[in-house]
Amino acid sequence: MIKKIHIWGIILASVLLLSCIEERLKADDTEDAAAYLQVRGGRLLNSTDPLDNEIERLRILAFNKSTGRCVSNKLYYAELNDVINHPIDDGTYDFVFLANEPNIVAIVDALNGLYEYTDLEGITYPEQAFQSNVSIPMFQKLENVEVLPGRDGARVDGGEIQRQIELQLERLATRVDVVLEGEEDLTDYFKGVTFFNVPEGITLMSASNASLGRNKTRKYTLANDAGYFTSVTPSAEQQSRGIVWVKKITRFILPFSNFTPEDDDSKAITFKVDLEERHSPSCYLKIQTAGVSGVSKDNYTLPYNSALLLTGVIKNPMNINIQVTPWGKEEHGWETQNRYLNVSDISVNITDFNGARITFSSNMPVVKVLPDVIVGGITTMKTEEVFNDLVLATGENSTTRFAYTYDVIRGEGTGYMDILLDEYNMDIETFLLNPDGRHSIFRLILSAEDENGQNSLQREITVNTHQYGIRFQGDHWNGYGYMGAFFRENEVGERIISTQLPRLEKQDNALGYWEVKVDEPYKDQIILSTTPSFDPYVGTDNPGKPEEYPVRPNEYKKEEVESDGTKINGRGRVYFRVGWRSPNPNSGSTGEKAPRYATVTLTFSQATTAENGWRPSYKLYLRQGEAADYIMNPQSTINSGPLQNKERAYARKFSAFNVTDSELKNKTQDYVGLYAQTSKRGAKFVDYPTQAGAFYQWALNKTNEDMAEYIRRAYHPSRPYTTDSPTGYWISSQYWSKIPIWSSAGTDEQYEYGYGDEIEVCPPGYHRPSDGYINQVSYNGPYPNYKYGDDYVDIDGKVVSELIKGEENIAFSEWRQSLWQNPWQGETLPDSKAIVGMGTPERKDAIRVRTSPAYVSANKDINLLFGFYADGYYDRRPMQVQNATVIASTRVGVGVSVNSPSVAYRGAVIYNPENNASTFFPAAGRRLDRGGNLEYAGGAGYYWSSSTGPNTATSQGSIVKSVWSIEIGSWNPGHLHILPTFGYSIRCVKDEISSN
């Protein structure tokens, strides 16, 4: 037999002088060689999964220690724990053992043709060699092995003689198992997972594959890879954290990913959860490892022979906690120190609208945030001036956004902190200096200590902040607080309520306290949470959808105040989220569900101008349902005013939205058009109550062909008119020989009927609401309302001995009866001496007589709150200053999506205190009748009616026809008869049979 082998070797050597020849043998093939190396194909590092330990083939390579030449190359078909007698001449060698090499022609040819040891360095196993359905490639090298003659065994690196060498093969792969947790049932949305940035392969003789590309993607779906996925019932511990959905995903085999520096995130593998119809969250796979002086650092490698268990809660941002499981827990320096402080993330990104949750654990009894943060290099700021409520207050065990619970018996503690910006914000002046936003980097320090504050172990957390807009100091009296929230009938997701509380000057400048509670009887409908939004894009012009971020109580706050989501509290910046617990259950006879309503009450400390203990409160009005609805009940009786004790016969269902042209709807900042042409009844409702919609002139002479192109022209709601605007942009001449009347019916010779047929833009089933008659002039109160001395004068200067009594006209006003608790007569003016002489110079001493209550008494007649409104649009985008619009106005327009046709503004919530029904009117401003300049944007909303008013005057002194309109803003709400050539918003009401 020996002779036979030698002859065989001579023949082969004469054929291939430059290569080491591979032989294929079975494990039990033996030869009577001069010597042999006896090996046993295990021990592998622990795994209870037989697939992880599977060995199908084992290649044994031997290289002469002195020359490096390959002297033996044999492939055995062997299994784990098989004993292999590998024949070889006695001598000293370097051995390489390769298990489960890829069955790829190029790889097999390269291994068969090895000449010397260094040739191994040129062999790469490709990414496709590492799959769950094939045996895992493994590797081991033994250097300086002395093979003794005969059956005397071998000595490894001068050690003791071993009769049998036990291999300790290492897998050239990383195993990944995943446990995904959901705080809601994601069965209908979860479709699978994807790994991005997977290495193209591994380099055989190197622990690093940094030089290889990372452009491979692994996608696993429920439809095609069902065997990976298992649904399980949440454990008691998971349920205690609010987890209702758990999916286990088993045994992904990936090529290892090892490189230096380990914190190079450009080489990190990205893990994404694929959700249908939802934002699919993703994150880098990384392990927190101990760095210099105990400060942890990011490790984005997935080293070879490693088994990782990934546990993550599906939310944004998605943090994955990685646990090293028994495959290799004793490898790679991942051992736990005697003192530890583990954190889920040490670098986070937030905007001014969202937060980042960091969880941590320690075996130290105290964990806290240090009172100073580092800005940039060495500059420091007070933590509480930058981040909301992270530093423990004196005498308190926990605060709103930080908590740590330590179990003395177990010697372990867990905690969390929600990182949210507080007083570090941009006001208007700061924004004007930083129109592209402000981007700052802070480093806060989390410190674990003993009871005496000694032996601290600290983690530095980098917070990258991005602010793109303005946040106002809370002042709900002047329109700078949130007044309500809107949801469509099937929407329940987060609405973000935020305002900046001033410090308590009379309490040593302390942070102000606040609380919010759901009012009775809505506690089973509304849910509150101090947990910040985890939408990574909220606070930018491209936020995620609020339905992807449901509202749940903060699971880390165990105290009663937030356990069921009906009451929350905090300090400093007011920031919370509100949602509904279920879609609107109301039934609708025509497919539209009647909205339902609720309220919550916000109470806060205010000690800047009053004594300590001043705790003002106000309600926020919530609406779920987009269908048009009544605010004032049409069956109710009017309590006071000209219509006292009469039924509210002309109350109508108001739409929740302004209208615009389809060409302008949902256009972005890039849209350059100044107007569009709307067809008859062709306007479209905007998507959100806060959106301004388009401006329309009331009407122009419908019989004048020169004005045809201006009829139903929809003007851009926010882009200012400039000298660069096109010729023919605007027309203000009327040329009316007769009084324009909305109705098509009538025979009075002084009237031009049928304007409603020509200029109505409200969609089918809706119409422009009346403010009195629509088939004749409506005076809506005593007229004329100009006085010269002791006499009333008509608009053309004629003295009249008797006023026209028009109080009864408002019996036909859909505007006044639908929104005013007690409809007013006449116009709405602040006081009897405020407005002087809108006439020719010789009549400039004339004053208008106030015919309705002043704004200070308005709440008894109209229930109105002015401010911000969280509708899933305005509350998710940065508030920014609009381009200058100061023609005839000194007010600055602040809104979201400014300068685009999709602009949205603060405005007025009008509500009914009897049933809390509410609707919102954005303060879109208006376009001035002379030239179309934009004015009062963000200050007041102006809306047309379908009723013609008495004569009025222009500032140039001419006498013209007028129409009735509504003004709803941060100043007087009420009614004006005004020139029909202004550009106003339009709000439509549902059609009902009526005639006046």
Side-chain angles (χ1 to χ4, degrees), residues 540-560:
T540 74
D541 283 321
N542 296 289
K545 298 176 181 178
E547 288 305 288
E548 296 179 6
Y549 304 95
V551 180
R552 294 186 182 83
N554 186 344
E555 68 267 26
Y556 288 93
K557 292 195 69 176
K558 304 301 183 183
E559 62 267 32
E560 182 181 353

Side-chain angles (χ1 to χ4, degrees), residues 474-549:
D475 183 0
H476 72 283
W477 295 281
N478 290 306
Y480 293 108
Y482 273 91
M483 299 294 117
F486 172 87
F487 304 74
R488 289 181 176 269
E489 62 183 31
N490 291 321
E491 292 179 341
V492 298
E494 67 179 15
R495 299 294 185 266
I496 300 170
I497 308 297
S498 175
T499 190
Q500 190 66 48
L501 280 187
R503 287 190 174 250
L504 306 180
E505 293 178 2
K506 299 201 173 192
Q507 296 180 25
D508 297 325
N509 234 24
L511 292 172
Y513 288 85
W514 54 269
E515 70 175 27
V516 187
K517 64 178 181 179
V518 181
D519 296 326
E520 296 286 359
Y522 308 116
K523 290 187 175 180
D524 62 342
Q525 300 176 35
I526 301 300
I527 187 166
L528 306 170
S529 179
T530 57
T531 301
S533 174
F534 293 127
D535 176 1
Y537 304 107
V538 71
T540 74
D541 283 321
N542 296 289
K545 298 176 181 178
E547 288 305 288
E548 296 179 6
Y549 304 95

Side-chain angles (χ1 to χ4, degrees), residues 76 169 221 845 889 963 987:
Y76 294 92
L169 295 164
T221 67
D845 293 330
S889 170
V963 289
R987 182 64 66 91

Side-chain angles (χ1 to χ4, degrees), residues 103-123:
N103 191 20
I104 298 172
V105 172
I107 303 298
V108 173
D109 288 348
L111 291 173
N112 287 345
L114 290 169
Y115 175 65
E116 58 186 358
Y117 187 85
T118 56
D119 291 343
L120 285 170
E121 298 172 0
I123 294 177

Side-chain angles (χ1 to χ4, degrees), residues 347-589:
S347 180
V348 295
N349 296 281
I350 62 173
T351 69
D352 200 25
F353 284 60
N354 64 12
R357 171 162 290 175
I358 292 181
T359 57
F360 49 86
S361 61
S362 180
N363 58 357
M364 303 291 281
V366 177
V367 178
K368 63 184 181 181
V369 174
L370 296 189
D372 295 312
V373 295
I374 302 170
V375 188
I378 60 174
T379 304
T380 61
M381 292 180 65
K382 293 297 181 184
T383 302
E384 72 170 21
E385 294 176 357
V386 178
F387 299 113
N388 179 237
D389 212 5
L390 287 183
V391 179
L392 290 170
T394 303
E396 293 185 349
N397 294 322
S398 66
T399 59
T400 306
R401 306 197 186 277
F402 181 97
Y404 179 67
T405 303
Y406 181 72
D407 188 320
V408 177
I409 297 175
R410 292 191 300 112
E412 296 176 342
T414 59
Y416 88 103
M417 58 181 168
D418 285 340
I419 300 176
L420 177 77
L421 283 172
D422 198 319
E423 293 173 324
Y424 187 80
N425 65 343
M426 291 197 294
D427 55 19
I428 288 180
E429 289 73 20
T430 307
F431 174 78
L432 292 175
L433 294 173
N434 302 273
D436 295 326
R438 182 168 63 178
H439 311 279
S440 305
I441 299 175
F442 298 95
R443 290 181 289 155
L444 62 83
I445 307 299
L446 188 66
S447 181
E449 306 168 354
D450 61 24
E451 295 88 342
N452 300 316
Q454 303 298 315
N455 299 314
S456 64
L457 178 64
Q458 297 180 346
R459 295 286 183 263
E460 184 179 275
I461 297 170
T462 301
V463 184
N464 302 288
T465 65
H466 307 276
Q467 297 172 279
Y468 298 97
I470 304 160
R471 177 156 36 93
F472 290 92
Q473 181 164 294
D475 183 0
H476 72 283
W477 295 281
N478 290 306
Y480 293 108
Y482 273 91
M483 299 294 117
F486 172 87
F487 304 74
R488 289 181 176 269
E489 62 183 31
N490 291 321
E491 292 179 341
V492 298
E494 67 179 15
R495 299 294 185 266
I496 300 170
I497 308 297
S498 175
T499 190
Q500 190 66 48
L501 280 187
R503 287 190 174 250
L504 306 180
E505 293 178 2
K506 299 201 173 192
Q507 296 180 25
D508 297 325
N509 234 24
L511 292 172
Y513 288 85
W514 54 269
E515 70 175 27
V516 187
K517 64 178 181 179
V518 181
D519 296 326
E520 296 286 359
Y522 308 116
K523 290 187 175 180
D524 62 342
Q525 300 176 35
I526 301 300
I527 187 166
L528 306 170
S529 179
T530 57
T531 301
S533 174
F534 293 127
D535 176 1
Y537 304 107
V538 71
T540 74
D541 283 321
N542 296 289
K545 298 176 181 178
E547 288 305 288
E548 296 179 6
Y549 304 95
V551 180
R552 294 186 182 83
N554 186 344
E555 68 267 26
Y556 288 93
K557 292 195 69 176
K558 304 301 183 183
E559 62 267 32
E560 182 181 353
V561 70
E562 197 174 3
S563 61
D564 63 353
T566 62
K567 185 178 179 181
I568 56 176
N569 62 12
R571 296 188 307 162
R573 178 184 179 184
V574 176
Y575 181 104
F576 64 94
R577 298 183 305 144
V578 59
W580 290 79
R581 295 181 185 266
S582 65
N584 183 1
N586 292 342
S587 59
S589 58

Side-chain angles (χ1 to χ4, degrees), residues 12 41 77 98 152 157 188 256 286 296 345 424 458 512 520 527 538 570 635 651 735 757 808 872 883 955 970:
L12 290 176
Y77 289 89
L98 302 177
D152 291 340
D157 202 22
D188 294 337
F256 71 75
K286 65 180 178 181
S296 65
D345 227 323
Y424 187 80
Q458 297 180 346
E520 296 286 359
I527 187 166
V538 71
Q635 279 74 49
Y735 308 114
D757 292 340
E808 76 283 354
N883 286 344
S955 59
S970 57

Side-chain angles (χ1 to χ4, degrees), residues 44 47 49-57 98-102 125 129-139 169-175 251-254 305 327:
L44 281 83
S47 176
D49 190 334
L51 293 175
D52 294 343
N53 301 328
E54 185 176 71
I55 295 178
E56 294 181 324
R57 303 174 301 282
L98 302 177
N100 304 326
E101 64 189 50
Y125 285 3
F130 302 89
Q131 302 284 347
S132 301
N133 59 352
V134 297
S135 300
I136 301 172
M138 303 178 192
F139 165 88
L169 295 164
E170 294 181 306
R171 306 169 186 86
L172 297 174
T174 301
R175 169 175 170 160
R251 201 174 181 274
F252 297 124
I253 303 298
L254 305 175
N305 207 46
W327 252 35

